[in-house]
Amino acid sequence: MIWRVSDDDIEALGQLIVANSAGAVSGHVVAHGELTVTTTAHHLIDVLTNLRDNPDFQFQQLIDLCGADYPQRAFRFDVVYHLLSMTKNRRVRLKIETDEDTPVPSVVGVYPCADWFEREAFDMYGVFFSGHPDLRRLLTDYGFHGHPMRKDFPMTGYVEVRYDDQLKRVIYEPVKSVEFRSWDFLSPWEGAGYAKPGQGYGYELPGDEKAEKAS
């Protein structure tokens, strides 16, 4: 049997976290059975330390740290910390906002496993973490420019890699423009024609034309 924490219990936990934060936690929300609390970069270390060490919370494990990009905002990035309490069977998500130039305090001193998580967020989003012991790229190649998970980064990237048989080495060169195929996303077949509007869809699926001829 799977034991599920009720939304009332999650709401009570959110209120308790806010009450015990001395104003460091600015708010909380419960959605889809999950608790999310918000703070600022200035209070981040204090809030995480309290969530880890307070007997009422005991979030001993940082299970993930990730980023999210909202280019329309002045502080375009969310840095999201997912915490787990194994003793109390609880989870909480902590979020802060930052921009491309404002560093976020590294939490390696609170959760040592944040080392690689922060390097990944730096590599993918360009979020800087002050006090990190070794803030280098983690997933992209040497000399890579840009941050692939940003919304304004092109899906094809800026350069492509191939092995040059004459030079006998791997070379980098600008991405060549490629024509995109004309796909009809309602149909698994390429080039399905447009037809008169039908029942619930405006396309003629392969095979439908046979039924029209038979009728």
Side-chain angles (χ1 to χ4, degrees):
M1 183 179 70
I2 299 176
W3 180 66
R4 182 181 181 277
V5 181
S6 69
D7 287 349
D8 291 339
D9 290 338
I10 299 174
E11 174 65 27
L13 174 61
Q15 294 177 4
L16 184 61
I17 291 174
V18 173
N20 280 270
S21 69
V25 175
S26 54
H28 74 285
V29 62
V30 178
H32 308 290
E34 298 178 348
L35 172 64
T36 301
V37 298
T38 54
T39 186
T40 62
H42 177 69
H43 295 293
L44 176 63
I45 300 297
D46 292 337
V47 171
L48 286 176
T49 302
N50 184 44
L51 290 174
R52 183 194 65 183
D53 298 341
N54 192 314
D56 292 329
F57 307 137
Q58 299 184 37
F59 289 101
Q60 307 100 334
Q61 188 171 1
L62 173 68
I63 59 174
D64 191 23
L65 185 163
C66 63
D69 185 17
Y70 302 91
Q72 70 278 8
R73 296 186 336 201
F75 290 90
R76 65 182 291 179
F77 301 119
D78 277 352
V79 183
V80 188
Y81 302 79
H82 298 267
L83 307 178
L84 169 66
S85 171
M86 294 177 288
T87 55
K88 292 183 176 292
N89 190 29
R90 290 173 172 172
R91 297 176 185 267
V92 66
R93 179 187 298 112
L94 176 67
K95 294 171 61 174
I96 66 170
E97 294 182 1
T98 189
D99 58 19
E100 302 175 52
D101 303 315
T102 306
V104 174
S106 173
V107 301
V108 171
V110 184
Y111 296 104
C113 66
D115 187 337
W116 279 34
F117 289 149
E118 290 177 348
R119 286 180 60 185
E120 182 179 6
F122 165 69
D123 194 358
M124 295 291 103
Y125 292 94
V127 176
F128 290 94
F129 294 90
S130 61
H132 190 281
D134 186 20
L135 192 62
R136 291 177 295 145
R137 289 184 180 268
L138 183 66
L139 301 178
T140 54
D141 201 358
Y142 299 105
F144 188 89
H145 294 283
H147 304 281
M149 292 299 290
R150 289 188 180 184
K151 297 288 181 63
D152 50 9
F153 189 86
M155 294 184 66
T156 54
Y158 294 107
V159 296
E160 58 186 3
V161 183
R162 68 177 179 86
Y163 180 79
D164 190 291
D165 195 48
Q166 293 181 340
L167 298 176
K168 303 299 182 184
R169 64 180 177 86
V170 173
I171 64 171
Y172 295 80
E173 55 191 8
V175 172
K176 300 179 179 66
S177 60
V178 180
E179 287 190 19
F180 290 96
R181 294 184 176 184
S182 177
W183 292 96
D184 182 338
F185 291 101
L186 189 63
S187 167
W189 302 97
E190 182 181 1
Y194 294 86
K196 295 179 294 183
Q199 297 265 339
Y201 57 86
Y203 304 97
E204 182 176 0
L205 296 177
D208 286 356
E209 71 281 358
K210 299 177 183 178
E212 292 180 1
K213 292 177 181 179
S215 61

